[in-house]
Amino acid sequence: MLKPKLLLILACLGLTACEQAQMVGPVGGGEVTVTEFRSGETVLTGLSTSDEDTLIALFGQETVDGYTSLQLLSFLGINTFNNPGFNDATWYVMAVQGGFDYDADGNLLVDQAPAQVFGTLHALVTGEQLNRGGFLVTPVTEAAYRYALDIADSTSDDALRPALDAAAGDLVDDVTADDELDYGDILAWNRILHSQQLRGDIGTLTNALAAGESESVVTAAALALFSTAPPGNEQSAEEFFAQSASDVVQSRCGTCHRVGGIGTRGTSHILQPTSNNDHIALNTEMYRALVGQRGVQYILDKSVGQRGHGGGNRLGNFPEEFAILETFLTLLENGG
Ligand code: HEC
C-alpha cells in the first residue's frame, strides 16, 4: 500500500483534483472561494488551504516531524474540492485570501514563523480545469487574471483563452514541456519547481499581493508585466492617470514640479495642482509631451534619482508607485 505522504505527492502531480496556492512559498490557511468570472456570483466558499495543523490532523505529529522541508512545502497550501461539479465551459475565479506563507524568503526551507498574507491570490480557470485540478494559484495566475479582467468587456468567453495563450510568453516559458507556450503553462507554473521558467519579474506584484495593496496598485503591477497592451484594451492613459498615476505624481513630485516650485527650473515637467478643474487632462498632456520629447526611461530614471535629478530619489523605495508611473508613461508611449 502507498504511504499517505506519497499519495499526497501523487495527488498534486495531477492524479486527483487538487491545487496549491503559492505566494513565494505555499500559502496555508488561506480561505478558498470560487466565483463565476462574468457574474461575480459566489459558487463555493468555506474551504481553506492546508496548513501545519491540517497535516498533523491527517498524518500525526510524528510523521509530520519526519518530513523534509521540501516534502512539507509540497503538502502545505493544498486545496481539494470534494465533489467538484463545476460547469466545464464556464470561466470561474478561484481566490485564496489571507493565510500564511510558509517560505516567504523563497529559500526552500519551511519558515519558523510563516509570514501572514494580507492580500488575495486569484486564478482564472474553466470549470473543466477546476474539476480536473492540478494547477497552482500564484502571482503568475494573478497577473493573467488581471489581464483577463482588463480585456473582459471586449472579449467573449471563447476568445479569452486564445488571448491568454498569446500573453503567456510574457510570464513563463513552456512549463509543461509540450512544445506550446500557452495559458496551460501559466496554470502549471510552480514557484518551487519552475524558478528557471519564469520570464516576468513578478517581485513587485508579489509584494503588493502579500501586503494587501489596493486593487489599482495590484492591477498596475500586474499589467506592467505584459509587453504589449492587451488587445482591445480600452483604458486610455488619461483614465489610468485619473485612476492612480495622478495621486502618485501629485504627492511625490508635485511639491517641486509646479509653477514657482524649484523643480520648474529649466524643466518642462510642471504639474497643475488638483485645485485646477482640468488638472487630469492638462497633466496627462504635459506628460505626453514630456514622453515625446525625452522618452519614458529618462523620466523613470529621474524619478529614482538618476541622471543627476535635482530632486534626488523620489520613487526608488516605492516599487508599487514606480510601477504605476511606469505603466502610465508606457500607455502614453503607445499612444494611449
Ligand atoms: C525636491 C524637489 C523635487 C521633487 C520632489 C521632484 N523633482 Fe524632479 N526635478 C527637480 C529639479 C530641481 C529638477 C531640475 C534639475 C534636473 O533636471 O534634474 C527636476 C527635473 C526633473 C525632470 C527633468 C525635466 C526636463 O524637462 O528635462 C524630470 C523628468 C523629473 N524631474 C521627474 C520627477 C518625477 C517623476 C518626480 C516625482 C516622482 C520628481 N521629479 C520629483 C526637483 C524635484
Side-chain angles (χ1 to χ4, degrees):
M1 207 196 96
L2 289 170
K3 290 204 177 104
K5 66 178 178 186
L6 196 54
L7 271 177
L8 210 67
I9 299 179
L10 292 176
C12 268
L13 286 175
L15 297 189
T16 318
C18 93
E19 306 81 31
Q20 188 178 39
Q22 297 177 347
M23 185 64 79
V24 177
V27 176
E31 285 177 37
V32 177
T33 312
V34 178
T35 52
E36 264 185 43
F37 179 56
R38 292 290 178 182
S39 68
E41 192 184 315
T42 303
V43 290
L44 192 146
T45 57
L47 293 173
S48 58
T49 55
S50 58
D51 59 12
E52 232 168 322
D53 290 344
T54 320
L55 298 188
I56 291 167
L58 273 175
F59 306 118
Q61 182 80 54
E62 213 175 313
T63 313
V64 171
D65 287 347
Y67 287 152
T68 64
S69 247
L70 221 48
Q71 284 172 322
L72 278 175
L73 292 178
S74 19
F75 305 157
L76 292 161
I78 301 293
N79 173 67
T80 315
F81 296 114
N82 282 331
N83 296 302
F86 300 101
N87 185 357
D88 274 351
T90 303
W91 283 104
Y92 296 93
V93 179
M94 176 172 161
V96 179
Q97 191 198 342
F100 289 86
D101 188 337
Y102 278 87
D103 183 20
D105 55 5
N107 65 355
L108 300 187
L109 297 173
V110 175
D111 294 346
Q112 287 296 324
Q116 188 169 358
V117 171
F118 293 95
T120 305
L121 285 163
H122 300 89
L124 178 66
V125 275
T126 58
E128 187 269 330
Q129 179 85 56
L130 275 178
N131 292 331
R132 193 153 41 91
F135 63 92
L136 291 100
V137 186
T138 63
V140 166
T141 61
E142 179 75 32
Y145 163 68
R146 299 277 158 182
Y147 184 88
L149 275 183
D150 205 45
I151 59 172
D153 287 348
S154 55
T155 311
S156 70
D157 273 9
D158 289 344
L160 268 179
R161 174 78 195 210
L164 290 166
D165 288 343
D170 284 332
L171 301 176
V172 292
D173 284 327
D174 180 12
V175 172
T176 56
D178 62 356
D179 288 330
E180 283 185 45
L181 191 47
D182 56 21
Y183 189 49
D185 296 307
I186 289 179
L187 292 172
W189 184 78
N190 182 324
R191 198 155 193 163
I192 296 165
L193 301 177
H194 306 129
S195 59
Q196 299 299 319
Q197 275 102 331
L198 181 66
R199 282 196 186 168
D201 179 359
I202 58 174
T204 303
L205 176 60
T206 303
N207 292 340
L209 287 167
E213 296 279 1
S214 68
E215 284 289 299
S216 63
V217 169
V218 171
T219 299
L223 296 185
L225 291 168
F226 296 94
S227 59
T228 47
N233 174 13
E234 300 301 332
Q235 191 174 43
S236 69
E238 189 172 319
E239 281 162 3
F240 186 78
F241 188 70
Q243 190 190 355
S244 42
S246 178
D247 285 350
V248 172
V249 294
Q250 288 290 356
S251 65
R252 301 285 178 201
C253 324
T255 45
C256 300
H257 288 281
R258 59 181 164 74
V259 175
I262 69 159
T264 57
R265 267 186 286 144
T267 87
S268 37
H269 181 209
I270 299 168
L271 286 157
Q272 300 301 322
T274 51
S275 56
N276 181 327
N277 284 341
D278 289 331
H279 71 103
I280 294 290
L282 290 169
N283 289 336
T284 302
E285 290 319 306
M286 182 276 289
Y287 279 110
R288 193 185 299 283
L290 195 59
V291 166
Q293 193 190 340
R294 303 287 203 178
V296 170
Q297 199 54 48
Y298 173 87
I299 304 169
L300 291 177
D301 286 350
K302 287 273 188 193
S303 80
V304 296
Q306 291 166 7
R307 304 201 194 216
H309 181 219
N313 180 2
R314 312 315 306 187
L315 294 182
N317 298 323
F318 302 97
E320 286 85 15
E321 295 181 33
F322 181 84
I324 289 175
L325 181 62
E326 184 178 24
T327 302
F328 169 60
L329 297 174
T330 307
L331 282 171
L332 286 173
E333 188 183 37
N334 295 336

